[in-house]
Amino acid sequence: MIIVMKPGATREHIEAVSERLVELGFKTHPIYGQEKTVIGAIGDKKALSSEAIINLPGVEKIVPIMKPYKLVSRELKETPTMVRVGGVPVGGRGLVVMAGPCAVESEEQLLSAARAVKAAGAQILRGGAFKPRTSPYAFQGLEEEGLKMLARVREEVGLPFVTEAVDTRDVALVAEYADAIQIGARNMQNFRLLKEAGATGKPILLKRGLAATIEEWLMAAEYILDSGNPNVILCERGIRTFETATRFTLDLAAVAVVKENSHLPVIVDPSHGTGSWRLVLPMARAAVAAGADGLIIEVHPDPARALCDGPQSLHPETFDRLMGELAPVALAVGRGLAPTGVFLEKAAVLAGGK
Amino acid sequence: MIIVMKPGATREHIEAVSERLVELGFKTHPIYGQEKTVIGAIGDKKALSSEAIINLPGVEKIVPIMKPYKLVSRELKETPTMVRVGGVPVGGRGLVVMAGPCAVESEEQLLSAARAVKAAGAQILRGGAFKPRTSPYAFQGLEEEGLKMLARVREEVGLPFVTEAVDTRDVALVAEYADAIQIGARNMQNFRLLKEAGATGKPILLKRGLAATIEEWLMAAEYILDSGNPNVILCERGIRTFETATRFTLDLAAVAVVKENSHLPVIVDPSHGTGSWRLVLPMARAAVAAGADGLIIEVHPDPARALCDGPQSLHPETFDRLMGELAPVALAVGRGLAPTGVFLEKAAVLAGGK
Amino acid sequence: MIIVMKPGATREHIEAVSERLVELGFKTHPIYGQEKTVIGAIGDKKALSSEAIINLPGVEKIVPIMKPYKLVSRELKETPTMVRVGGVPVGGRGLVVMAGPCAVESEEQLLSAARAVKAAGAQILRGGAFKPRTSPYAFQGLEEEGLKMLARVREEVGLPFVTEAVDTRDVALVAEYADAIQIGARNMQNFRLLKEAGATGKPILLKRGLAATIEEWLMAAEYILDSGNPNVILCERGIRTFETATRFTLDLAAVAVVKENSHLPVIVDPSHGTGSWRLVLPMARAAVAAGADGLIIEVHPDPARALCDGPQSLHPETFDRLMGELAPVALAVGRGLAPTGVFLEKAAVLAGGK
Amino acid sequence: MIIVMKPGATREHIEAVSERLVELGFKTHPIYGQEKTVIGAIGDKKALSSEAIINLPGVEKIVPIMKPYKLVSRELKETPTMVRVGGVPVGGRGLVVMAGPCAVESEEQLLSAARAVKAAGAQILRGGAFKPRTSPYAFQGLEEEGLKMLARVREEVGLPFVTEAVDTRDVALVAEYADAIQIGARNMQNFRLLKEAGATGKPILLKRGLAATIEEWLMAAEYILDSGNPNVILCERGIRTFETATRFTLDLAAVAVVKENSHLPVIVDPSHGTGSWRLVLPMARAAVAAGADGLIIEVHPDPARALCDGPQSLHPETFDRLMGELAPVALAVGRGLAPTGVFLEKAAVLAGGK
């Protein structure tokens, strides 16, 4: 931690700051510049210590030197973490695609979607049973009934599933059914939910908050690791900016920044990240090229009749085309696409055809 | 709802859209322009209906005509709503100041802060017992012990208090003690928490999310009113922008926009909105001049030793000066400042002194 | 300047950085922490030096200690600068209101607007002769003819005027007529225009760019002061954020931040800052309460027929009401409102009436 | 254009709006809903007409139906435009890479960079002779001397070049030397510069403003096409958001949105878009996968001693590696990478090696 003193700071100010730092357990190293004095403080133990200094007379600003997160950092653990969702490894050499409807609407709808996405090569099913909706008048999800449908479809189709928990009181219930628990963007800083979900030991899919910096996102993951659960998959899903042509601005550089600073796997949600199914295809390709470990994509058997997120949901045929387009991009960045032979076949056809 | 068709939309496309609209219960009114056709749809019943149309062939975009909120809107209820927090009316002619520490740290700290803010003219005490913190390593609040301290200090000093609930499981407990329940910015779209807090019937202080549009903020309030609780106080506390000189960007125009569109009272939090105690004074004055019904301000007996938000907390003496500066501004916009005679006295002195 | 080394930086890395710093003319002070080493570098002479270090092996980040601006800073000059626009002092105790139409459309329109704003108490006339318009199909201004009208109306009505220059080639022409030259938000980082306008010696009204940080805005002012012209008035006019209910987000905290860091006067433009005439009134009051030295407001004799910015232009009667509302707020923050007796009269009436 | 009336709008209000619309040359089609009336107006001729309506009593909002741009739109011209820069086609099947130093510093530096980027497969040289710098104390470019060096290096190395013009007064000079003129992000709405550069007939590389919506960016291009010059290449280079881990937020979805709405070619600048050379590689790959027609990348023979943008400049060896990584991604999305055999060779090696 570096304390920068104001130009007019007196010797008394500097000494008072040094004393307070020593009182807080730091060693101090003042550097006297021509116009300003800075004090280096060694022993950065407590998050609150900068707050204990900033209000002292003569202090201009505090510059943190250490990153605020530890458990999630690549400095602590250099090798990438691989998280297994019902047997599917996320964060390894293979690219993992999670797909399915925004919301579980009925068993028929879910089954139809699950079969289609599996046939196209997805390895994990997604589908919401508890839905956080901006309007109280919108469809709020089938709740436990939806979880049961997800479980039955998992048996039938053979895909593990990820689904969202939106309330600490539902976490145990969701954990009972799901292979992985999603924490939605609007709950990224719902710290009690992070702890509760973390405590289940289940893999956690942690979406980035729509106004969260990458550092805050990693701090949210830190909450889960700190609760004893190392199985966190990060998910970039777009941030809020001034641009209105897209629903959010998909921040693909975040994938590379996360890779540099953390050992956790990171996937991308081009459906929410763009809000428009037409844009899902190019952005899915771009996410893979940027180095994402996987994708999560909304697919609905009949997008025009979806109860939620229809405009950004892919028709199964379009999803199939997307998977075909992804295969050569995945190969181009040195990644296999899942264990099925379909993709390699597709990739071969595409590569040959070009 | 207006459906704008693409330039190349065919007669079949237009008819298919019209049929779907009729199927959904709308009356349709097509307008044929030189390059584009638009279809007016009357009977805007369901939030999801636009999603049911946008994917049909030939559709370019959907333009909503009705606002998505109803219960909170000034169109429904023209007279301003006044919310009583332990006897103190918020939303009337008087300006209400809520003040106190970020977090309850000890009974001494709280009592000292409460006495100071009361003496300076605050009418409601604030103080966090459950704290949502960005870092899992930061102080997380005294929880129920903190609530008990707040209740005891209320008795001792005679100020009702507002405190935050961060988990649905704590809402009943918080409601047992508090005069008003705060929903923090990071929980503005924690819809289950909104419903649970709303169901207590207690006044709800609803902070604006840091990436929430004004419309989304009003939709969050709609959740509470829809749960049967009309006692909502909105609180602008700064939004996230690219500017880094301040912690957030305090959006004071939001106060005026809310006043135009809703009957609910709206207050401003210049402490979180700026992140720096030096900026709290000018922004508190500006908030009152913009038409806010009140302010919520962090005051700590010893900001340099605060466990939370020290940099933005006012020392009691500075708070006293702030209250003195607010009085003439409140008068200038036709507002009284609370029932005590202190303010009018101060205002008179200041007015005379200038 | 503080150089933070990565956790894994070797002694060789640290020495190489130190050597490079010495080569660049710095004295170095390494501090060895438990996990990281930081190097303090004294003698912060060149803006480019941080770039010369950041790429060296083992360097994590560079933390600047000195502010990048000098001439505009309050550290250099503690007393506020007062800028005279045709005899009207901006930045003193009095609040200055500049008003007039977005664009000069005709001499009648301009004369009518000028008379109205003067009668209501404005001291400086505004009006655009060169208009930067988003669309090539929109009205682009009357150019020199407009400047001539402004000059004639100045004679007739007795108000100095400020008008925008949008091209280096027009600066001399604009300077020939105008009392102050406006640099628009979209040209805030048109550095050649800044230098050219600065070189005229005329007062410069420098609008904040819509994506400019306060620091970048002050750096733009630094260009003008560096060209030898100290007469800069800063103007906050709203920044671009995700909120769409207002045209821009008026950042009033910027007023206070500028006051803390610079000696230059700062005014506020609530017309562009909100985009809606209804919001101009509360935000004008708020700007004054926040400590602004003045306001610039769009007034049009017939807003519904304005060729530019009609939605945010005030009708003269509304402007008159605004000025009446401003007077008591100005008094409340210890400011007079211009030299005419009209305001004090209004203030007295309003104060008495409340 | 759709005019939405307020709920309380009277028959007189509706008639007054209709009359004004007819007066402005529109045909009107009112639709009477249960709570609101909307008026369809056919004949959307002038950009200013919405402003002429919005202030009329009873009007709530105006909804534009037509896009504000015409010449750049895909609705007008369905086939993609190909722009030739000194013989190199941009916007065709081949991916075009422009590379070189941020600023021309000396002929040796430029020559060395040019040879390196050509050897690695770049087809166009970039290099700034006029530099817009945030600080007046930073290196401002070699101006005409720099242009001459660029011209000599073009002869020597055989690469056409693109360089920036920052002032209308320099446009003719730049046009005399350059194969394409760059308009920088900070000048995207310097409309006079757009017109002047457009009038030269030279290809224009139009960077997106850092706070510009995609629509505003296309409107800026419209200025150039409206000046009679169809040779515009759009360049996404990152927008300003709250995220500070990267210099800007590279908005790759903008590439796909532009492709959908315009016939103009679009390239990506991952150097400015991220601000860090480490992120240039993944984002360059992602840009190509998203469908960009090319890239513009900063390469410096000795980034640690660059006078400008060192942190984001690639060392020639890193650039060479980047080109090798791009080749298979380009192939994967059906694009060739330039005419030299180097890439195909590299692609073959890489494809085989993986």
Side-chain angles (χ1 to χ4, degrees):
Chain A
M1 189 166 64
I2 300 284
I3 293 88
V4 181
M5 304 298 292
K6 289 181 189 165
T10 63
R11 186 151 290 272
E12 286 71 38
H13 291 155
I14 295 167
E15 276 165 20
V17 171
S18 295
E19 278 165 29
R20 184 88 173 97
L21 286 167
V22 169
E23 188 187 327
L24 289 162
F26 291 90
K27 283 194 210 166
T28 62
H29 294 250
I31 302 176
Y32 302 96
Q34 286 152 320
E35 294 177 53
K36 290 186 183 182
T37 297
V38 304
I39 306 172
I42 296 182
D44 209 348
K45 280 173 262 171
K46 294 180 183 177
L48 57 101
S49 42
S50 81
E51 300 196 345
I53 298 294
I54 187 70
N55 280 336
L56 293 180
V59 174
E60 184 176 297
K61 63 175 174 180
I62 309 285
V63 180
I65 298 303
M66 305 302 291
K67 284 173 185 145
Y69 46 82
K70 296 176 207 309
L71 305 175
V72 304
S73 80
R74 206 173 262 275
E75 292 177 7
L76 185 84
K77 173 173 184 291
E78 230 177 289
T79 55
T81 290
M82 196 184 288
V83 178
R84 293 193 167 267
V85 177
V88 179
V90 181
R93 193 160 171 278
L95 183 79
V96 175
V97 179
M98 312 180 184
C102 170
V104 177
E105 297 170 14
S106 71
E107 194 152 337
E108 295 67 39
Q109 170 245 21
L110 186 65
L111 190 59
S112 160
R115 282 183 174 143
V117 304
K118 192 183 183 192
Q123 293 167 279
I124 298 175
L125 178 64
R126 61 146 292 153
F130 297 93
K131 298 301 307 170
R133 301 301 297 274
T134 308
S135 167
Y137 310 122
F139 175 63
Q140 310 270 324
L142 297 180
E143 310 199 342
E144 188 169 2
E145 200 42 57
L147 294 174
K148 286 180 179 165
M149 291 175 188
L150 282 159
R152 284 195 297 264
V153 168
R154 169 176 52 196
E155 292 314 299
E156 183 111 5
V157 180
L159 286 180
F161 72 86
V162 57
T163 196
E164 183 169 357
V166 298
D167 189 336
T168 48
R169 295 172 304 186
D170 305 328
V171 165
L173 184 71
V174 172
E176 204 179 298
Y177 292 93
D179 298 287
I181 303 175
Q182 177 181 314
I183 303 292
R186 284 170 180 78
N187 278 317
M188 192 203 83
Q189 292 192 316
N190 183 341
F191 302 110
R192 296 287 285 275
L193 185 61
L194 295 176
K195 287 181 191 174
E196 194 76 20
T200 65
K202 287 269 175 182
I204 307 294
L205 181 65
L206 179 64
K207 293 203 153 187
R208 180 180 183 186
L210 41 97
T213 62
I214 296 170
E215 190 172 290
E216 289 169 336
W217 186 22
L218 291 175
M219 286 304 287
E222 185 87 3
Y223 261 94
I224 301 169
L225 269 72
D226 187 50
S227 74
N229 184 346
N231 302 305
V232 175
I233 302 165
L234 298 164
C235 178
E236 161 64 31
R237 47 77 72 208
I239 56 173
R240 187 150 265 181
T241 71
F242 63 82
E243 179 58 68
T244 54
T246 45
R247 189 173 173 191
F248 294 100
T249 295
L250 196 63
D251 180 12
L252 289 183
V255 171
V257 172
V258 163
K259 287 280 171 202
E260 216 174 285
N261 290 284
S262 177
H263 52 84
L264 295 173
V266 56
I267 68 169
V268 171
D269 176 349
S271 306
H272 286 89
T274 63
S276 157
W277 68 265
R278 272 187 215 87
L279 301 173
V280 170
L281 282 87
M283 293 315 279
R285 293 193 312 255
V288 173
D293 294 302
L295 295 164
I296 182 163
I297 293 174
E298 290 190 346
V299 177
H300 193 285
D302 185 359
R305 285 169 196 271
L307 294 181
C308 163
D309 282 351
Q312 72 197 34
S313 295
L314 297 186
H315 190 278
E317 279 175 35
T318 318
F319 179 67
D320 192 63
R321 178 151 68 88
L322 164 72
M323 292 299 284
E325 289 184 9
L326 278 186
V329 177
L331 286 173
V333 295
R335 279 203 123 101
L337 214 180
T340 79
V342 185
F343 313 96
L344 297 169
E345 222 176 273
K346 273 179 187 161
V349 172
L350 276 157
K354 275 171 184 166
Chain B
M1 190 167 63
I2 301 284
I3 292 88
V4 181
M5 303 298 292
K6 288 181 190 165
T10 64
R11 184 150 293 270
E12 286 70 38
H13 291 155
I14 295 167
E15 275 165 21
V17 170
S18 294
E19 277 165 30
R20 183 86 172 99
L21 286 167
V22 169
E23 189 186 327
L24 288 163
F26 291 88
K27 284 195 209 167
T28 62
H29 293 249
I31 302 177
Y32 301 96
Q34 284 152 321
E35 295 178 53
K36 291 187 182 181
T37 296
V38 304
I39 305 173
I42 295 182
D44 209 348
K45 278 173 263 168
K46 294 181 184 173
L48 59 100
S49 42
S50 82
E51 299 196 345
I53 298 294
I54 188 69
N55 281 338
L56 293 180
V59 173
E60 184 176 298
K61 63 175 175 181
I62 309 284
V63 180
I65 299 302
M66 304 302 291
K67 284 173 183 143
Y69 47 82
K70 297 176 208 307
L71 304 175
V72 303
S73 80
R74 207 172 261 277
E75 290 177 7
L76 185 85
K77 174 172 182 292
E78 230 177 288
T79 55
T81 289
M82 197 186 285
V83 178
R84 292 193 167 267
V85 177
V88 178
V90 181
R93 194 162 171 277
L95 183 80
V96 175
V97 178
M98 312 180 183
C102 170
V104 177
E105 297 169 14
S106 70
E107 194 151 338
E108 295 66 40
Q109 171 244 21
L110 186 64
L111 190 59
S112 159
R115 281 182 176 144
V117 304
K118 192 183 184 191
Q123 294 167 280
I124 298 174
L125 178 66
R126 64 146 290 153
F130 297 93
K131 298 301 307 171
R133 300 302 295 275
T134 309
S135 167
Y137 310 121
F139 175 62
Q140 310 269 324
L142 297 181
E143 310 199 343
E144 188 169 3
E145 201 42 56
L147 293 174
K148 285 180 181 165
M149 290 175 189
L150 282 160
R152 284 195 296 264
V153 167
R154 169 175 53 197
E155 292 314 299
E156 182 113 4
V157 180
L159 287 180
F161 74 86
V162 57
T163 197
E164 184 169 357
V166 299
D167 189 336
T168 49
R169 295 172 302 186
D170 305 327
V171 165
L173 185 71
V174 172
E176 205 180 297
Y177 292 93
D179 298 286
I181 303 174
Q182 177 180 314
I183 302 293
R186 285 170 178 77
N187 278 316
M188 193 203 83
Q189 291 192 317
N190 183 341
F191 302 112
R192 297 286 285 275
L193 185 60
L194 295 176
K195 285 181 191 173
E196 194 76 20
T200 65
K202 288 270 175 181
I204 307 294
L205 181 65
L206 179 64
K207 292 202 153 188
R208 181 180 181 184
L210 40 97
T213 62
I214 296 170
E215 191 172 289
E216 289 169 336
W217 186 22
L218 291 175
M219 286 305 286
E222 185 87 2
Y223 261 93
I224 302 170
L225 270 71
D226 188 50
S227 75
N229 184 346
N231 302 306
V232 175
I233 302 165
L234 298 165
C235 179
E236 161 65 30
R237 48 77 72 209
I239 56 173
R240 187 150 265 182
T241 70
F242 62 82
E243 178 58 68
T244 54
T246 45
R247 189 172 174 191
F248 294 99
T249 296
L250 196 64
D251 180 12
L252 289 183
V255 171
V257 172
V258 164
K259 286 280 169 200
E260 216 174 286
N261 291 285
S262 176
H263 52 85
L264 295 174
V266 56
I267 69 169
V268 170
D269 176 350
S271 305
H272 286 88
T274 63
S276 158
W277 69 265
R278 272 187 215 87
L279 301 173
V280 170
L281 282 87
M283 294 314 278
R285 293 193 311 255
V288 173
D293 294 304
L295 295 164
I296 183 162
I297 293 173
E298 291 190 345
V299 177
H300 193 286
D302 185 0
R305 285 167 195 272
L307 294 181
C308 162
D309 282 353
Q312 72 198 30
S313 294
L314 296 187
H315 190 278
E317 278 175 37
T318 319
F319 180 66
D320 192 64
R321 178 151 69 87
L322 164 72
M323 292 298 284
E325 288 183 10
L326 278 185
V329 178
L331 286 173
V333 295
R335 280 202 123 102
L337 213 180
T340 78
V342 186
F343 313 96
L344 297 169
E345 224 176 90
K346 273 179 188 161
V349 172
L350 276 157
K354 273 175 183 164
Chain C
M1 190 166 64
I2 301 284
I3 292 87
V4 181
M5 303 298 292
K6 288 182 190 165
T10 64
R11 185 150 292 271
E12 286 70 39
H13 291 155
I14 296 167
E15 275 164 21
V17 170
S18 295
E19 278 165 29
R20 183 88 172 98
L21 285 167
V22 169
E23 188 186 326
L24 288 162
F26 291 89
K27 283 194 210 166
T28 62
H29 293 250
I31 302 177
Y32 301 96
Q34 285 151 321
E35 295 177 54
K36 291 186 182 181
T37 297
V38 305
I39 305 172
I42 296 182
D44 208 349
K45 278 173 264 170
K46 294 181 183 174
L48 58 101
S49 43
S50 81
E51 300 196 345
I53 298 294
I54 188 70
N55 281 337
L56 293 181
V59 173
E60 184 176 298
K61 63 175 175 179
I62 308 285
V63 180
I65 299 301
M66 305 303 291
K67 284 173 183 145
Y69 46 82
K70 296 174 208 308
L71 304 175
V72 303
S73 80
R74 206 173 262 276
E75 292 177 7
L76 185 85
K77 175 173 182 291
E78 229 178 290
T79 56
T81 290
M82 197 186 285
V83 178
R84 294 194 167 267
V85 177
V88 178
V90 181
R93 192 161 172 277
L95 183 80
V96 175
V97 179
M98 313 181 182
C102 170
V104 177
E105 298 169 14
S106 71
E107 194 151 338
E108 294 67 39
Q109 171 245 20
L110 186 65
L111 190 59
S112 160
R115 281 183 174 142
V117 303
K118 192 184 183 192
Q123 294 167 278
I124 298 174
L125 178 65
R126 63 146 291 153
F130 296 92
K131 297 302 306 172
R133 300 303 296 275
T134 308
S135 167
Y137 311 120
F139 175 63
Q140 310 268 324
L142 297 180
E143 309 199 344
E144 186 169 5
E145 199 43 58
L147 293 175
K148 286 179 180 166
M149 290 175 188
L150 281 160
R152 285 194 296 264
V153 167
R154 168 174 54 195
E155 292 313 299
E156 182 113 3
V157 179
L159 287 180
F161 73 86
V162 56
T163 197
E164 183 169 356
V166 298
D167 189 336
T168 49
R169 296 173 302 186
D170 305 327
V171 166
L173 184 71
V174 172
E176 204 180 298
Y177 291 93
D179 298 286
I181 303 175
Q182 178 181 313
I183 301 293
R186 285 170 180 78
N187 278 317
M188 192 204 84
Q189 292 192 316
N190 183 341
F191 302 110
R192 296 288 284 275
L193 185 61
L194 294 176
K195 287 180 191 173
E196 193 77 20
T200 65
K202 286 270 176 182
I204 306 295
L205 182 65
L206 179 64
K207 292 203 154 187
R208 181 180 182 185
L210 40 97
T213 61
I214 295 170
E215 191 172 290
E216 290 170 335
W217 186 21
L218 290 175
M219 286 305 286
E222 185 88 2
Y223 261 94
I224 301 170
L225 269 72
D226 187 51
S227 75
N229 184 345
N231 302 304
V232 174
I233 302 165
L234 298 165
C235 179
E236 160 65 31
R237 48 76 72 206
I239 56 173
R240 186 151 267 181
T241 72
F242 63 82
E243 179 58 67
T244 54
T246 44
R247 190 173 173 192
F248 294 100
T249 295
L250 196 64
D251 179 12
L252 289 184
V255 171
V257 172
V258 164
K259 286 280 170 199
E260 216 174 284
N261 291 284
S262 176
H263 52 84
L264 295 174
V266 56
I267 69 169
V268 170
D269 176 349
S271 305
H272 286 88
T274 63
S276 158
W277 68 265
R278 273 186 214 87
L279 301 173
V280 170
L281 282 86
M283 294 314 279
R285 293 193 311 255
V288 173
D293 295 303
L295 295 164
I296 183 163
I297 293 173
E298 290 190 347
V299 177
H300 193 286
D302 185 0
R305 285 167 196 273
L307 294 182
C308 163
D309 281 351
Q312 72 197 33
S313 295
L314 296 186
H315 190 277
E317 278 175 36
T318 319
F319 179 66
D320 192 64
R321 179 152 69 87
L322 164 72
M323 293 298 284
E325 288 183 10
L326 277 185
V329 178
L331 286 173
V333 295
R335 279 203 123 101
L337 215 179
T340 77
V342 185
F343 312 97
L344 296 170
E345 223 176 272
K346 273 180 189 161
V349 172
L350 276 156
K354 275 176 183 167
Chain D
M1 190 167 62
I2 301 284
I3 292 88
V4 181
M5 303 298 292
K6 288 181 189 165
T10 63
R11 186 150 290 273
E12 286 72 38
H13 290 155
I14 296 166
E15 275 166 20
V17 170
S18 295
E19 278 166 28
R20 184 85 174 99
L21 285 166
V22 169
E23 189 186 325
L24 289 162
F26 291 90
K27 283 196 211 166
T28 62
H29 293 250
I31 302 177
Y32 301 96
Q34 285 151 320
E35 295 178 52
K36 291 185 182 181
T37 297
V38 305
I39 305 172
I42 296 182
D44 208 349
K45 278 173 262 170
K46 292 180 185 176
L48 58 101
S49 42
S50 80
E51 300 197 344
I53 298 294
I54 187 69
N55 280 336
L56 292 181
V59 174
E60 184 177 297
K61 63 174 177 181
I62 308 286
V63 180
I65 298 303
M66 305 302 292
K67 284 174 183 143
Y69 47 81
K70 296 175 207 307
L71 304 175
V72 303
S73 80
R74 207 172 262 276
E75 291 177 7
L76 185 85
K77 174 173 182 291
E78 230 178 289
T79 56
T81 289
M82 197 184 287
V83 177
R84 293 191 167 268
V85 177
V88 178
V90 181
R93 192 161 171 279
L95 183 79
V96 175
V97 179
M98 313 181 182
C102 169
V104 177
E105 298 169 15
S106 71
E107 194 151 337
E108 295 66 39
Q109 171 245 21
L110 186 64
L111 191 58
S112 160
R115 282 182 175 143
V117 303
K118 193 185 182 190
Q123 294 167 279
I124 297 175
L125 178 66
R126 63 146 291 153
F130 296 92
K131 297 302 306 172
R133 300 303 296 274
T134 308
S135 167
Y137 310 122
F139 175 63
Q140 310 270 323
L142 297 180
E143 310 199 344
E144 188 169 4
E145 199 42 56
L147 294 175
K148 286 179 179 165
M149 291 175 188
L150 283 159
R152 285 194 296 263
V153 168
R154 168 175 53 197
E155 292 314 299
E156 182 112 4
V157 180
L159 287 180
F161 73 86
V162 56
T163 196
E164 183 169 357
V166 298
D167 189 336
T168 50
R169 295 172 303 187
D170 305 327
V171 166
L173 184 72
V174 172
E176 206 180 297
Y177 291 92
D179 298 287
I181 303 175
Q182 177 181 314
I183 302 293
R186 285 171 179 78
N187 278 317
M188 192 204 84
Q189 291 192 316
N190 183 342
F191 301 111
R192 297 286 285 276
L193 184 61
L194 295 176
K195 286 181 190 173
E196 194 78 19
T200 64
K202 288 270 176 181
I204 307 294
L205 181 65
L206 180 64
K207 291 204 153 186
R208 180 181 181 184
L210 41 97
T213 62
I214 296 170
E215 190 172 291
E216 289 169 337
W217 186 22
L218 291 174
M219 286 306 286
E222 185 87 2
Y223 261 94
I224 302 169
L225 270 72
D226 187 50
S227 74
N229 184 345
N231 301 306
V232 175
I233 302 165
L234 297 165
C235 178
E236 161 63 31
R237 46 79 70 208
I239 57 173
R240 186 151 266 181
T241 71
F242 63 83
E243 179 57 68
T244 54
T246 44
R247 189 173 174 192
F248 294 100
T249 295
L250 196 63
D251 180 12
L252 289 183
V255 171
V257 172
V258 163
K259 286 279 170 201
E260 215 173 285
N261 290 284
S262 176
H263 52 85
L264 295 173
V266 56
I267 70 169
V268 170
D269 176 350
S271 305
H272 286 88
T274 64
S276 158
W277 68 266
R278 272 187 216 88
L279 301 172
V280 170
L281 282 86
M283 294 314 279
R285 294 193 311 255
V288 172
D293 294 303
L295 295 164
I296 182 163
I297 292 174
E298 291 190 346
V299 178
H300 192 286
D302 185 0
R305 285 168 196 271
L307 295 181
C308 162
D309 281 351
Q312 72 197 32
S313 294
L314 297 186
H315 189 278
E317 279 174 36
T318 319
F319 179 66
D320 192 64
R321 178 152 68 87
L322 164 72
M323 292 298 284
E325 288 183 10
L326 278 186
V329 178
L331 286 173
V333 296
R335 281 203 121 102
L337 214 180
T340 78
V342 185
F343 312 97
L344 296 170
E345 222 175 273
K346 274 180 187 161
V349 171
L350 275 157
K354 274 175 183 163

